[in-house]
mmCIF file of all heavy atoms in Angstrom:
data_model
loop_
_atom_site.group_PDB
_atom_site.id
_atom_site.type_symbol
_atom_site.label_atom_id
_atom_site.label_comp_id
_atom_site.label_asym_id
_atom_site.label_seq_id
_atom_site.Cartn_x
_atom_site.Cartn_y
_atom_site.Cartn_z
ATOM 1 N N VAL O 365 85.850 111.666 82.259
ATOM 2 C CA VAL O 365 85.556 110.720 83.447
ATOM 3 C C VAL O 365 86.904 110.670 84.194
ATOM 4 O O VAL O 365 87.897 110.306 83.553
ATOM 5 C CB VAL O 365 85.081 109.334 83.084
ATOM 6 C CG1 VAL O 365 85.989 108.664 82.083
ATOM 7 C CG2 VAL O 365 84.945 108.502 84.392
ATOM 8 N N HIS O 366 86.886 111.166 85.340
ATOM 9 C CA HIS O 366 88.090 111.243 86.217
ATOM 10 C C HIS O 366 87.770 111.199 87.721
ATOM 11 O O HIS O 366 86.633 111.464 87.996
ATOM 12 C CB HIS O 366 89.099 112.314 85.795
ATOM 13 C CG HIS O 366 88.455 113.719 86.000
ATOM 14 N ND1 HIS O 366 88.323 114.293 87.303
ATOM 15 C CD2 HIS O 366 87.847 114.526 85.132
ATOM 16 C CE1 HIS O 366 87.709 115.425 87.132
ATOM 17 N NE2 HIS O 366 87.406 115.642 85.837
ATOM 18 N N PRO O 367 88.738 110.884 88.603
ATOM 19 C CA PRO O 367 88.375 111.028 89.948
ATOM 20 C C PRO O 367 87.883 112.333 90.311
ATOM 21 O O PRO O 367 88.319 113.411 89.709
ATOM 22 C CB PRO O 367 89.764 110.582 90.609
ATOM 23 C CG PRO O 367 90.405 109.904 89.605
ATOM 24 C CD PRO O 367 90.072 110.515 88.321
ATOM 25 N N PRO O 368 87.106 112.501 91.348
ATOM 26 C CA PRO O 368 86.682 113.845 91.844
ATOM 27 C C PRO O 368 87.906 114.666 92.054
ATOM 28 O O PRO O 368 89.007 114.170 92.529
ATOM 29 C CB PRO O 368 86.009 113.542 93.153
ATOM 30 C CG PRO O 368 85.501 112.190 93.026
ATOM 31 C CD PRO O 368 86.452 111.479 92.203
ATOM 32 N N SER O 369 87.875 115.961 91.886
ATOM 33 C CA SER O 369 88.970 116.983 91.945
ATOM 34 C C SER O 369 89.382 116.916 93.435
ATOM 35 O O SER O 369 88.612 116.641 94.317
ATOM 36 C CB SER O 369 88.617 118.280 91.494
ATOM 37 O OG SER O 369 87.730 118.906 92.372
ATOM 38 N N THR O 370 90.643 117.337 93.754
ATOM 39 C CA THR O 370 91.085 117.430 95.010
ATOM 40 C C THR O 370 90.246 118.388 95.821
ATOM 41 O O THR O 370 89.902 118.161 97.051
ATOM 42 C CB THR O 370 92.584 117.954 95.030
ATOM 43 O OG1 THR O 370 93.368 117.034 94.223
ATOM 44 C CG2 THR O 370 93.202 117.986 96.404
ATOM 45 N N GLN O 371 89.866 119.498 95.187
ATOM 46 C CA GLN O 371 89.079 120.533 95.912
ATOM 47 C C GLN O 371 87.637 119.865 96.308
ATOM 48 O O GLN O 371 87.233 120.030 97.496
ATOM 49 C CB GLN O 371 88.929 121.694 94.968
ATOM 50 C CG GLN O 371 90.107 122.617 94.806
ATOM 51 C CD GLN O 371 91.061 121.925 93.679
ATOM 52 O OE1 GLN O 371 90.629 120.971 93.001
ATOM 53 N NE2 GLN O 371 92.197 122.531 93.614
ATOM 54 N N ALA O 372 87.084 119.182 95.325
ATOM 55 C CA ALA O 372 85.757 118.621 95.624
ATOM 56 C C ALA O 372 85.826 117.575 96.545
ATOM 57 O O ALA O 372 84.892 117.349 97.423
ATOM 58 C CB ALA O 372 85.167 118.109 94.260
ATOM 59 N N ALA O 373 86.978 116.793 96.655
ATOM 60 C CA ALA O 373 86.957 115.656 97.508
ATOM 61 C C ALA O 373 87.804 116.011 98.849
ATOM 62 O O ALA O 373 87.968 115.063 99.690
ATOM 63 C CB ALA O 373 87.719 114.450 96.872
ATOM 64 N N ALA O 374 88.123 117.146 99.019
ATOM 65 C CA ALA O 374 89.031 117.566 100.142
ATOM 66 C C ALA O 374 88.415 117.124 101.514
ATOM 67 O O ALA O 374 89.160 116.846 102.480
ATOM 68 C CB ALA O 374 89.309 119.027 100.201
ATOM 69 N N SER O 375 87.071 117.232 101.658
ATOM 70 C CA SER O 375 86.599 116.972 102.903
ATOM 71 C C SER O 375 86.449 115.423 103.251
ATOM 72 O O SER O 375 86.160 115.027 104.330
ATOM 73 C CB SER O 375 85.107 117.567 102.992
ATOM 74 O OG SER O 375 84.319 116.906 102.014
ATOM 75 N N THR O 376 86.635 114.567 102.231
ATOM 76 C CA THR O 376 86.616 113.205 102.443
ATOM 77 C C THR O 376 87.754 112.424 102.157
ATOM 78 O O THR O 376 87.916 111.347 102.659
ATOM 79 C CB THR O 376 85.412 112.573 101.703
ATOM 80 O OG1 THR O 376 85.622 112.887 100.189
ATOM 81 C CG2 THR O 376 84.084 113.197 102.060
ATOM 82 N N THR O 377 88.638 112.848 101.365
ATOM 83 C CA THR O 377 89.748 112.113 100.955
ATOM 84 C C THR O 377 90.885 112.978 100.556
ATOM 85 O O THR O 377 90.732 114.183 100.458
ATOM 86 C CB THR O 377 89.407 111.204 99.740
ATOM 87 O OG1 THR O 377 90.404 110.331 99.416
ATOM 88 C CG2 THR O 377 89.104 112.002 98.498
ATOM 89 N N SER O 378 92.051 112.449 100.353
ATOM 90 C CA SER O 378 93.265 113.108 99.792
ATOM 91 C C SER O 378 93.834 112.278 98.716
ATOM 92 O O SER O 378 93.749 111.157 98.670
ATOM 93 C CB SER O 378 94.213 113.338 100.989
ATOM 94 O OG SER O 378 94.722 112.177 101.480
#
Side-chain angles (χ1 to χ4, degrees):
V365 52
H366 58 80
S369 66
T370 304
Q371 291 79 8
S375 63
T376 57
T377 185
S378 62

